[in-house]
Amino acid sequence: MSMSLDGYIAGPNDKPGNPGGDGFVRLHEWGLMPDGGFRKSGPAGEVLGEIAATGAVVAGRRTAEQVDHWGGDHNGQGVPIFVPSHRPPDPSVANYPLVTYVTDGIESAMAQAKAAAGDRNVHVIGAYTAQRAIEAGVLDEVQIHQIPVLFGGGKRLFEVLPSRVELEIVRVIDTPEATHIRYRIRR
């Protein structure tokens, strides 16, 4: 997750038609070329390559719906997308065979995603979803792309957690655009 120094992963006015809110692109400039394509080389290319190599995606319903489920194919990866939700999906999701709504909890969504991913990682997207996965004990690592900007408002990644969570730093890649920190969740 790309995050401002003050903890925001989305700017103000995050809503359908403005996914990620005002200024959202600023949080992702570290991975973009001037032409808008993704970086393929250097530290940013390395991190993006790891993300692209994931075997499945678990995304929050709000996030997935705001971007129309990435057209059924998250970033052209061709991997299954699992959406934990208490409600069944809109019928239009039937057009996206890689998208599965999971109505029996985050644990089930993560188990299905891990089974689908095989020996590859599962990419978790969305603040609420990440918080619930940490709370349920089904998230092993968190990778933060710390952006040198203060948003001052928007949607925070770790707004509400039920208790303190201890982390262990696994890797740090520091660049002028972002500091990429991978943490292991201690249990």
Side-chain angles (χ1 to χ4, degrees):
M1 301 278 248
S2 293
M3 184 172 73
S4 67
L5 185 59
D6 52 349
Y8 294 97
I9 61 165
N13 302 311
D14 177 32
K15 59 187 177 191
N18 191 28
D22 300 341
F24 182 67
V25 171
R26 173 63 182 96
L27 294 176
H28 301 278
E29 289 173 350
W30 65 268
L32 299 175
M33 300 290 292
D35 67 1
F38 292 110
R39 293 183 189 270
K40 303 283 188 217
S41 61
E46 177 185 338
V47 171
L48 289 170
E50 291 172 358
I51 294 168
T54 59
V57 172
V58 173
R61 183 178 187 134
R62 182 175 183 274
T63 300
E65 287 182 347
Q66 279 189 348
V67 295
D68 188 28
H69 304 86
W70 299 276
D73 188 5
H74 183 262
N75 293 336
Q77 294 174 327
V79 298
I81 301 166
F82 297 89
V83 182
S85 177
H86 299 293
R87 298 175 285 121
D90 183 273
S92 66
V93 174
N95 297 325
Y96 303 136
L98 292 175
V99 177
T100 301
Y101 271 62
V102 180
T103 58
D104 57 343
I106 187 69
E107 294 92 342
S108 178
M110 287 294 287
Q112 291 178 52
K114 286 180 179 183
D119 62 351
R120 297 187 294 168
N121 290 333
V122 173
H123 185 175
V124 176
I125 304 170
Y128 180 81
T129 302
Q131 290 170 32
R132 296 301 67 81
I134 290 170
E135 179 181 18
V138 294
L139 192 64
D140 300 320
E141 292 186 350
V142 176
Q143 182 159 286
I144 302 295
H145 314 291
Q146 189 73 61
I147 311 304
V149 64
L150 299 169
F151 262 32
K155 186 166 192 62
R156 289 185 189 271
L157 177 54
F158 300 115
E159 188 70 37
V160 179
L161 290 171
S163 62
R164 185 167 84 188
V165 177
E166 293 289 336
L167 306 171
E168 171 187 347
I169 295 174
V170 175
R171 180 181 75 185
V172 177
I173 300 174
D174 195 20
T175 71
E177 297 85 18
T179 301
H180 309 278
I181 310 166
R182 180 180 291 165
Y183 298 93
R184 182 172 295 114
I185 298 172
R186 290 186 180 169
R187 293 194 170 80

